[in-house]
Amino acid sequence: MYDLHLHSTASDGTLTPGELVRQAAAAGIGTLALTDHDTVAGLGEAGRVASELGVRLIPGVELSVTWKETTVHIVGLGVDAANPELCRGLRELQQRRQARAEEIGRCLSRYGIPDAFPGACALAGAGQLTRSHFARYLVERGYAPSMREVFERFLTRGKPGYVAGDWVPIATGVAWIKAAGGIAVLAHPQHYRRAGMAVRRLVAEFKEAGGEAIEVVSGNGADLASNAALARRFGLLASVGSDYHGPEQSWLKLGRLPALPEDLIPVWSTW
């Protein structure tokens, strides 16, 4: 059983890397990838626990890129976490991420929520600060009953805490992954709320940039048939990933992803 898209407290997950590996192993997952947002900081701990438990850890990362004013995520699988080019790229994304978070804090302060930035920082700890940390903090403080509602009321386009991501182009992110010996995977392609033709343009540009795989099976309510059709149309390898962030996602359980369609070539066939 494979799950090649998982998050820990190194970014916006709620389980430590070690806890995540233990829960994945208990759920029957034999090969997993830790793919935290714009960081590889959790791979050491995850690797040690994976070795203890006899499961296979694929070193990964999820990079933030910009395509037509939309934030797009590219998962890198099998990366060398010490590669200098990747490390330089991650430092750049982390600086951009920090600047965005500070601006979100200023926007929310102007709206009347003055303590959102330090509150989100406290929840993130040593991990990469994300909008999910702002959402958790606002739920804790009673500004909304759920993280979904926080995003809808405060953090999406046109809302008081929205700040557009200022990331790097698709080609740059793919190049960093390939320089580190990894395979670039377009994460959850149906997540970007684009019409069918626009999604096809996104996938075409991703492949032209050197992307090799697409997430066909995803845990975020993905349209498996549409994703499979994209893999066939563009000749991409197929990946499987839950995008699991922790047990608070009550609708998503580890180890419960459907199988890939049999006619697709899985990304792990290249390893």
Side-chain angles (χ1 to χ4, degrees):
M1 194 183 298
Y2 293 81
D3 193 333
L4 304 177
H5 188 164
L6 297 162
H7 294 275
S8 75
T9 51
S11 63
D12 58 349
T14 59
L15 298 174
T16 67
E19 291 169 342
L20 178 65
V21 172
R22 289 187 182 92
Q23 291 205 11
I29 297 168
T31 301
L32 63 147
L34 180 60
T35 56
D36 277 308
H37 292 287
D38 304 324
T39 183
V40 292
L43 291 177
E45 178 185 337
R48 289 189 294 273
V49 175
S51 295
E52 293 171 6
L53 298 178
V55 297
R56 185 181 189 188
L57 178 75
I58 304 300
V61 67
E62 186 171 18
L63 300 185
S64 306
V65 302
T66 298
W67 180 76
K68 298 187 183 302
E69 301 183 345
T70 298
T71 296
V72 171
H73 291 154
I74 300 176
V75 165
L77 295 176
V79 297
D80 173 7
N83 176 264
E85 188 169 343
L86 177 62
C87 290
R88 283 194 295 271
L90 291 177
R91 285 194 295 270
E92 178 179 342
L93 290 175
Q94 289 162 11
Q95 290 167 359
R96 293 176 183 235
R97 182 173 289 282
Q98 181 68 18
R100 182 196 196 195
E102 291 172 359
E103 182 59 21
I104 290 173
R106 285 190 286 268
C107 289
L108 290 172
S109 182
R110 288 193 291 269
Y111 186 72
I113 307 174
D115 51 356
F117 179 70
C121 287
L123 288 175
Q128 289 302 304
L129 184 56
T130 72
R131 292 190 303 164
S132 293
H133 295 111
F134 282 95
R136 289 177 195 158
Y137 179 73
L138 294 183
V139 169
E140 287 185 3
R141 293 298 300 271
Y143 288 101
S146 68
M147 289 179 61
R148 180 185 295 275
E149 191 162 334
V150 169
F151 275 93
E152 291 174 352
R153 291 175 55 187
F154 298 103
L155 299 177
T156 55
R157 190 180 298 274
K159 302 303 180 181
Y162 175 76
V163 177
D166 176 25
W167 313 116
V168 297
I170 286 178
T172 301
V174 171
W176 290 341
I177 291 169
K178 293 174 76 71
I183 294 176
V185 182
L186 182 62
H188 40 63
Q190 306 299 326
H191 177 72
Y192 307 112
R193 299 183 181 180
R194 296 273 182 165
M197 188 174 293
V199 171
R200 289 193 291 274
R201 286 198 295 269
L202 165 62
V203 178
E205 290 189 29
F206 169 74
K207 182 172 182 181
E208 184 178 353
E212 300 169 82
I214 189 168
E215 213 167 74
V216 172
V217 176
S218 181
N220 63 356
D223 184 341
L224 191 154
S226 296
N227 290 344
L230 290 170
R232 296 184 189 103
R233 182 187 182 103
F234 291 96
L236 294 169
L237 300 171
S239 189
V240 173
S242 64
D243 198 9
Y244 183 78
H245 284 70
E248 295 79 7
Q249 294 174 291
S250 58
W251 65 93
L252 177 61
K253 303 296 183 184
L254 286 172
R256 304 239 183 126
L257 292 175
L260 283 173
E262 292 184 359
D263 64 308
L264 299 181
I265 301 174
V267 66
W268 53 84
S269 68
T270 64
W271 297 337

